Amino acid sequence: MRYLLLVSHGTFAPGLHSVLDMLVGKREDILSCSLRDGEGADEYVAELEKVVEKIGADDEVIVMGDIIGGSPLTNALNVLAGRGLLAHTRAFGGVSLPMALTAAFDLQTDDPLALCEQALSEGQASMREVELSLDEDEEEDL
């Protein structure tokens, strides 16, 4: 099985997980864990170990974190390495809803490389300024 693991500072990862539950349904292959405000790394790692304990040696993991080099993503990779799963893991930073949604929709595909490329592409393509062209009368309505 292939798992999508969302990790973050604060409540970003659980919030993103909640949105995925709304859009793709509650699924056993989508997991999340966050480093909450005031929580130490040891507490986060202990919680993360519980979250990933269902992942087996033959499973694959796509980890999406909020910040490359941040402690949630770094510790998640360390936990997966300690379980011998790093060789079956792909990791990404800067996760967004379009990126996670793309991964979630096709998580069990036979082509995980294409899945990761598509998720990354969707995340990058979705980031742009929304152009507003308003008449003076429309501005008053805002």
Side-chain angles (χ1 to χ4, degrees):
M1 178 177 272
R2 186 172 303 114
Y3 289 89
L4 175 61
L5 173 61
L6 306 168
V7 296
S8 72
H9 296 85
T11 59
F12 183 62
L16 187 56
H17 192 166
S18 173
V19 174
L20 292 178
D21 285 349
M22 289 174 57
L23 299 175
V24 300
K26 291 187 184 283
R27 304 216 329 237
E28 295 293 319
D29 56 357
I30 301 174
L31 310 170
S32 64
C33 190
S34 65
L35 175 64
R36 293 178 294 275
D37 188 26
E39 183 177 52
D42 291 342
E43 294 167 292
Y44 169 72
V45 167
E47 182 180 342
L48 183 61
E49 286 175 344
K50 290 177 190 169
V51 168
V52 301
E53 68 185 5
K54 65 170 70 175
I55 301 174
D58 294 329
D59 293 326
E60 297 175 12
V61 184
I62 297 173
V63 183
M64 294 187 174
D66 55 353
I67 300 173
I68 293 175
S71 55
L73 184 54
T74 302
N75 281 304
L77 294 174
N78 286 338
V79 166
L80 293 171
R83 295 175 46 90
L85 295 168
L86 211 50
H88 303 279
T89 298
R90 301 276 314 257
F92 299 88
V95 66
S96 65
L97 177 57
M99 185 178 179
L101 187 59
T102 299
F105 269 129
D106 208 15
L107 191 55
Q108 299 308 323
T109 182
D110 291 334
D111 190 352
L113 295 177
L115 168 70
C116 290
E117 288 173 8
Q118 183 63 33
L120 189 57
S121 177
E122 266 316 302
Q124 292 169 335
S126 69
M127 295 182 65
R128 60 181 180 271
E129 183 177 358
V130 176
E131 293 187 34
L132 305 172
S133 84
L134 302 173
D135 294 336
E136 286 184 29
D137 292 338
E138 290 177 352
E139 284 185 29
E140 292 175 12
D141 293 339
L142 292 175

